[in-house]
Amino acid sequence: MFSSWVLEKLEAVKHEQNLIIEDSLRLIPDADGSVHRFANENGFTVIVASTNLVFRELYEKAANDKEIEKLLILDRAPARRRSQTSLTKAPPPFYPDFLARIPETARIKIMLRQFLIEKTGDPNWPIESNDPRFARLIIGSIEAVLKAHASLRVAHPTRFTDHDFKTIVAYSALGVPESAFKRPEAKSYWRICLFGYPALAELDSLAPEIASSIRDEIRRAPAPFLWFADSPPDSVIRAFYLSTILAQHIDHWKLVLASIDSDLKPFSDINVAILCEAAPELISIDSARAHQDLQDIEASLSKEALNLILLDQLKIFTHGRFADVIEREHYSTLIRSLSLLAALDNLLSETPQNDALKKVDNVVFSEQKDKKELFIEQRTSPVWENLKTAYRLVKNILEIRIALNDAIKKLKVRNTSELSFDWFRNLWNGQKINRLEYYISCLERLVFSADFLPRSSNDLPAAFFSASNRIRERVNWLRDDIQNSLGSLNVRYQEMVAAQYNSWISQPSSEIRLTSHFLRRCLKPNWDPQTEKAVVFVFDGMRYDIWDELVRPIFEDRMEIIKEYPASSLLPSETHISRKAIFAGTYPDKFSTRSGEDALLKDVMRTEFGYKGDVEVITPDGTGTGETVRYRAGNIDFFIFELCDKELHKIPVKILPDGRNVPGRPLAFVYQQHIKDIIDTEVMSIIRNLSSDTKVFVVADHGFNTIGRERIRVENAWLNDSNDCYYLNAWLKQNLTEVNALKKIRDSVLEFSVSDLRMPSSEDVYDRATNRNWTKKYSSIIFPRTGFALSRPKANFNPDAYSHGGISIQEMLVPMLAMRVKGPEEGLLIISPITGKIDLIEGEEAEFRMTVHLTQSHKNQEVRIESQATYQEKEDTSFLPNQIQYISTAGGEIVYRFIPNTSDASDDERKLGLMERSLKISINYREGQRTVRKARTMKFSVRLNSEKIVRRVPAHLGKILGLTPRSMK
């Protein structure tokens, strides 16, 4: 409101070449960008100064700059400094030369009294309005002051005494302008006592008669209000919130309160009914302040206090009592988090309390409508969210592990002839076993690296540190057990592949589609090249857990699945074989693996689809991060993304102190920091632009798996050259029988003839050493069994953590789907683009909004959404607090306000005077049995205080530099 008034003054004189704004009360906030935006739009260069040396240096520089035509000076020197010179204080800006060049109309004095007169139409505002002490209180509560003045006019149409003025200022500063000229209501007491007490302390010296009457009113109020009149507010607030927390769980909470802090005993005589009524009322007044006060209370609880509350009184580790505490706790994230830690400890134990754990599931994870009313559901806590995620992961892991162990038992009694690809696929995907490695990796990152305890272990009772250690030990055991079980699963899977792979190639059936079948058996039956637009996403290295966890939710939100096919990579599961087979539409013995994908695609588009045009190679939009190449052939576009093929190579194995070998970078890190970002940004940018009814096809060329650590030596004589041997396959010029390989080696590998794999039996290569061409001849290809890896002759045996090219369920099972883009009104939720001011001034608060509403077919539902916002900086990403909302028929709006951090602006950005950042707001919600994630991104810029604009010298330094040297006085 005040800024708008200032702009009205400026708009009237924007045609002038030079302007002066005198803001001696500093009513225009430093972070307010309105003046700078006005200057930018009207061609002014701004100089902000409160001392003369800073002003003259900037002014002379501007005067000598021929590019500067219009100048606006913002003089912020206090009025007292102008009227009273001092040898110890810097002189104010001095600019008679500038004043001589501008008319009186171009000199604007920002006076608070004038603003109040113009806004209220009342000329009786006293001179004290411009007193800095009163002005500071008024400018911080402008709208409240106007509201209190209106109340005065209702009660007394003409009266305006000094006492009235002080009453208006006092009650406005306290946040209760409606009570300025009548007895305060209960809500007003809350505002005064719990939020306005800093202003009340200031009023003691500024308007003592008003402050005294207010304190008298407070003394006549019930507890806890009366205590604020004569006691430190911090102690009263601490007693109130601590009483509220304890009363939820303990009948004798007053005794416990006194035991925690004897100084709080005088403030314990509060009626429980008032506590139950007052806390929600208090939160409704200012939830942000309530959150901060609760944080302060939680921080003040000592280790001994937590031991008394949680262990001695609530006994959260005994008989599943943690569930009751989680259910009853509506305010403290500290107590709730530590209780959930106890629940997680119990969930991972050998004797879990199932009834208590069911209650935890119901309280923490169910979508109960009354949950949204609880304040604790609105308080954000990274530790609570980490514990919730860890608890959910453990639940999922334990449930999936049961299915895996049952499958292992069945496999032990089945003959190889009884095994089928369909059985393994249903187990792997249908029972979610494909997610186990990713889930356990996420869990390990949480329990070993993330904020898993709400404070340091030294500041917690020893029981919680012990629980944390037990959780970590159990997670380690779970990981090893799961890896062993997956190894047992792969042993039988390899046996099935060895027995049946030849039939998959020679007798194609509906049970399985190889990557070489994609164009003929997935694309062709579901796409009319004459009438329909189509898009194909080829994801290099995307195994099924990436598809199910990260990619499928985004695609399913915008598309309906027409058909999901059982599919497998070719053997060897290498990019130059399996991915090129996708574009060739046949086996490698029918095409050259050295040919370009566009040339291979052109041939098959002609033979299978009758397309006679060229295959264009299209440059990706923007930076194309993660996208290797893009092809277009008539009505169809092919997008090839390397989600994790390159990222997963060269990850070393490190040895932990306990002797375990683990990847140097865990799967969870690669997935969440690299793959997820590409999906959310580059892949989503393509999906957003797809029109309704476009056919969309997804396929991967192969997955990846861990490399075994048992070494199998491959002899040099078996190979054409040593480069034909990889950790997970080797191309032999003679089979193992012909080279008289040891039985130990034959038992450790699986061997296929090149003809059975439909691989070329020979290859022409160029030898740089001899400068001649020669022909390699291949007889067979060998693959190590589970747990083993091949060793190249005369080479160090140091396998990476992950690779592909072998035989495992992780490497061979790949997604292959046909989909259709939904219309705009299909699905559950629709989110709008982000709106907000995209051109900000340094220090100005940004406000961005994104509306969310239900589609017409889901208008009667209510959906809980969790939103997260990040804005990208040079290297890091700043996370803004998560928000939780419930979206019903009326829809909702996600609002994020923050001041962009400009401390990391580069030197180039400073010179340019502009910093660009990207804001991403994402939401998560449940739709049926799946979690859906949607995101929107918007770029914004921040105009920096460069050498031409605003202050170049810090304020405190300006005061020093502005001092006149003694020799010149």
Side-chain angles (χ1 to χ4, degrees), residues 650-703:
K650 306 303 180 185
I651 294 180
V653 171
K654 63 181 181 181
I655 302 176
L656 298 180
D658 60 7
R660 290 182 293 112
N661 293 318
V662 298
R665 279 182 293 166
L667 279 184
F669 175 82
V670 176
Y671 285 17
Q672 294 165 3
Q673 300 298 319
H674 175 77
I675 299 173
K676 186 173 179 292
D677 188 65
I678 292 175
I679 293 166
D680 288 347
T681 308
E682 280 74 22
V683 176
M684 274 301 299
S685 70
I686 297 171
I687 293 175
R688 277 196 296 268
N689 293 320
L690 297 179
S691 58
S692 300
D693 294 323
T694 299
K695 293 292 180 62
V696 177
F697 300 86
V698 170
V699 65
D701 56 351
H702 57 74

Side-chain angles (χ1 to χ4, degrees), residues 171 174-176 178-179 182-197 213-222 224-226 228 282 285:
Y171 280 87
L174 293 171
V176 288
E178 66 279 355
S179 301
K182 61 182 181 180
R183 186 178 179 85
E185 299 175 351
K187 183 179 287 190
S188 297
Y189 282 126
W190 278 124
R191 290 188 182 277
I192 294 171
C193 297
L194 294 177
F195 299 114
Y197 57 83
S213 65
I214 292 173
R215 290 187 185 277
D216 288 341
E217 285 287 345
I218 293 173
R219 290 187 185 97
R220 291 193 289 270
F225 309 118
L226 62 90
F228 283 93
L282 173 60
I285 293 172

Side-chain angles (χ1 to χ4, degrees), residues 319-374:
H319 304 305
R321 291 285 300 278
F322 51 78
D324 296 328
V325 176
I326 293 172
E327 181 181 37
R328 294 171 184 167
E329 184 54 61
H330 295 168
Y331 300 100
S332 172
T333 57
L334 173 66
I335 289 178
R336 212 182 190 205
S337 296
L338 291 173
S339 300
L340 188 56
L341 179 73
L344 181 59
D345 179 36
N346 187 266
L347 178 63
L348 281 165
S349 70
E350 296 181 1
T351 56
Q353 300 283 330
N354 292 324
D355 290 341
L357 294 171
K358 286 180 182 178
K359 181 183 283 190
V360 172
D361 292 343
N362 185 56
V363 172
V364 177
F365 299 104
S366 66
E367 299 293 332
Q368 299 172 355
K369 288 188 176 181
D370 57 350
K371 281 178 64 175
K372 66 181 179 181
E373 306 297 334
L374 302 179

Side-chain angles (χ1 to χ4, degrees), residues 368-580:
Q368 299 172 355
K369 288 188 176 181
D370 57 350
K371 281 178 64 175
K372 66 181 179 181
E373 306 297 334
L374 302 179
F375 185 51
I376 199 163
E377 293 294 329
Q378 303 166 32
R379 294 189 66 198
T380 57
S381 165
V383 172
W384 170 255
E385 294 303 322
N386 287 340
L387 284 164
K388 275 179 63 177
T389 302
Y391 188 93
R392 187 186 290 112
L393 282 169
V394 170
K395 286 280 292 182
N396 289 336
I397 289 169
L398 294 178
E399 290 172 2
I400 297 171
R401 180 170 161 265
I402 291 172
L404 175 59
N405 290 341
D406 288 344
I408 298 298
K409 291 177 183 178
K410 293 175 182 178
L411 285 173
K412 288 181 179 179
V413 297
R414 287 195 178 189
N415 295 324
T416 303
S417 59
E418 298 177 288
L419 303 178
S420 69
F421 179 85
D422 189 55
W423 186 88
F424 278 101
R425 182 176 181 272
N426 288 336
L427 173 69
W428 191 246
N429 297 331
Q431 300 296 323
K432 299 184 179 181
I433 292 173
N434 62 40
R435 296 159 166 84
L436 270 178
E437 289 177 285
Y438 173 53
Y439 284 174
I440 199 72
S441 179
C442 291
L443 183 60
E444 283 185 296
R445 287 199 80 200
L446 281 173
V447 302
F448 286 100
S449 303
D451 291 332
F452 206 61
L453 292 174
R455 56 172 66 170
S456 71
S457 57
N458 293 331
D459 295 328
L460 288 171
F464 295 102
F465 181 66
S466 299
S468 179
N469 283 339
R470 286 194 299 271
I471 289 170
R472 291 176 176 176
E473 290 171 3
R474 190 67 177 173
V475 168
N476 278 336
W477 180 88
L478 260 181
R479 182 203 53 247
D480 294 341
D481 180 72
I482 287 169
Q483 288 297 335
N484 291 334
S485 296
L486 290 176
S488 299
L489 181 67
N490 265 320
V491 167
R492 299 309 309 276
Y493 179 79
Q494 286 185 333
E495 293 175 7
M496 184 271 297
V497 171
Q500 299 181 23
Y501 187 80
N502 180 256
S503 65
W504 298 353
I505 287 182
S506 59
Q507 302 171 4
S509 68
S510 59
E511 183 191 33
I512 184 171
R513 282 160 173 75
L514 299 173
T515 47
S516 54
H517 301 155
F518 169 74
L519 294 175
R520 184 179 298 112
R521 301 184 63 196
C522 177
L523 178 63
K524 191 173 183 179
N526 296 290
W527 174 55
D528 184 346
Q530 304 302 320
T531 62
E532 293 180 318
K533 287 189 175 295
V535 168
V536 176
F537 287 93
V538 179
F539 292 110
D540 197 333
M542 182 177 73
R543 67 183 195 177
Y544 245 106
D545 56 350
I546 299 174
W547 165 252
D548 280 337
E549 283 292 309
L550 305 180
V551 187
R552 185 194 287 270
I554 292 176
F555 276 71
E556 283 191 345
D557 184 57
R558 294 175 175 268
M559 306 167 198
E560 66 170 343
I561 295 177
I562 299 172
K563 182 74 174 178
E564 183 169 2
Y565 295 98
S568 170
S569 167
L570 287 181
L571 285 180
S573 51
E574 301 278 14
T575 298
H576 69 283
I577 292 171
S578 196
R579 190 173 107 182
K580 289 201 171 182

Side-chain angles (χ1 to χ4, degrees), residues 589 731 754-755 759-763 775-779:
D589 61 353
W731 296 57
V754 291
S755 59
M759 293 293 118
S761 59
S762 63
E763 178 185 18
T775 301
K776 289 183 178 182
K777 294 186 180 296
Y778 304 116
S779 174

Side-chain angles (χ1 to χ4, degrees), residues 102-108:
I102 63 174
E104 282 290 334
T105 55
R107 308 172 189 180
I108 301 172

